[in-house]
């Protein structure tokens, strides 16, 4: 599965696009048609993040299952928080805590991701 597992480029592309779409949707007018469409495309990108992340996970996780497991979980939690912010704000419920958790999980996911050996290795 070369293209999915030799580098992390595809995985990085999918989550960067998703974060941008999330921010765009979050700052669009609550009930606008545009926001519905951006949210729909964002959900497609969740699937792409998971497919590209899962491919890397299957290929590389045996070297350090614990850290890779945490990375997997944090990635899913980050996606979960994006959904919580968008759905709760649509229902006009408070979202401050979910914004905070989104930022926290995003930073933690990026930290673990860049710490792991494949692709970029900042930490
Ligand atoms: C919004 C969610 C996510 C973000 C922000 C994110 C972020 C990152 C980052 C920054 C890297 C490091 C890339 C590199 O070193 O070049 C990475 C790698 C990786 N991600 Fe994700 N990720 C997310 C979701 C997921 C999910 C859901 C999974 C599992 C299904 C996953 C599995 C992996 C794996 C296995 C790696 C390779 C780690 C390595 O060996 O270096 N990620 N991710």
């Amino acid at each position: 599965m070369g293209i999915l597992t030799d580098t992390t480029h595809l995985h990085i592309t999918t989550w960067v696009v998703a974060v941008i779409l999330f921010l765009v949707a979050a700052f669009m007018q609550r009930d606008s048609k545009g926001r519905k469409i951006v949210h729909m495309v964002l959900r497609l990108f969740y699937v792409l993040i998971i497919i590209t992340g899962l491919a890397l996970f299957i290929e590389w996780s045996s070297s350090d299952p614990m850290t890779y497991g945490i990375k997997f979980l944090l990635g899913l939690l980050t996606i979960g928080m994006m959904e919580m912010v968008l759905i709760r704000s649509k229902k006009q419920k408070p979202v401050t805590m979910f914004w905070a958790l989104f930022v926290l999980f995003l930073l933690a996911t990026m930290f673990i991701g860049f710490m792991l050996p494949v692709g970029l290795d900042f930490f």
Side-chain angles (χ1 to χ4, degrees):
M1 285 213 278
I3 187 169
L4 286 177
T5 52
D6 289 351
T7 75
T8 51
H9 296 170
L10 266 181
H11 184 58
I12 294 181
T13 307
T14 58
W15 66 255
V16 169
V17 171
V19 169
I20 293 169
L21 289 174
F22 165 66
L23 294 175
V24 169
F27 289 103
M28 277 172 110
Q29 218 178 353
R30 206 187 305 281
D31 278 321
S32 65
K33 205 169 174 184
R35 174 163 155 159
K36 265 199 191 115
I37 294 169
V38 177
H39 194 173
M40 234 170 60
V41 180
L42 173 61
R43 284 179 169 151
L44 172 70
F45 271 84
Y46 295 156
V47 176
L48 297 178
I49 294 174
I50 292 170
I51 291 173
T52 54
L54 202 63
L56 289 164
F57 184 85
I58 290 168
E59 180 80 11
W60 303 107
S61 63
S62 56
S63 63
D64 186 357
M66 170 92 173
T67 318
Y68 274 88
I70 294 171
K71 169 72 185 56
F72 195 146
L73 199 70
L74 284 170
L76 291 179
L77 284 168
T78 309
I79 292 175
M81 293 311 108
M82 295 196 256
E83 268 306 282
M84 289 303 272
V85 168
L86 291 181
I87 290 174
R88 286 178 65 92
S89 73
K90 192 173 161 201
K91 294 181 181 166
Q92 313 213 17
K93 290 184 177 169
V95 288
T96 316
M97 190 181 75
F98 293 97
W99 269 109
L101 288 174
F102 161 70
V103 173
L104 191 81
F105 288 137
L106 179 65
L107 292 177
T109 312
M110 289 174 67
F111 179 74
I112 303 263
F114 286 132
M115 201 178 70
L116 282 167
V118 183
L120 304 168
D121 202 2
F122 290 137
F123 301 106

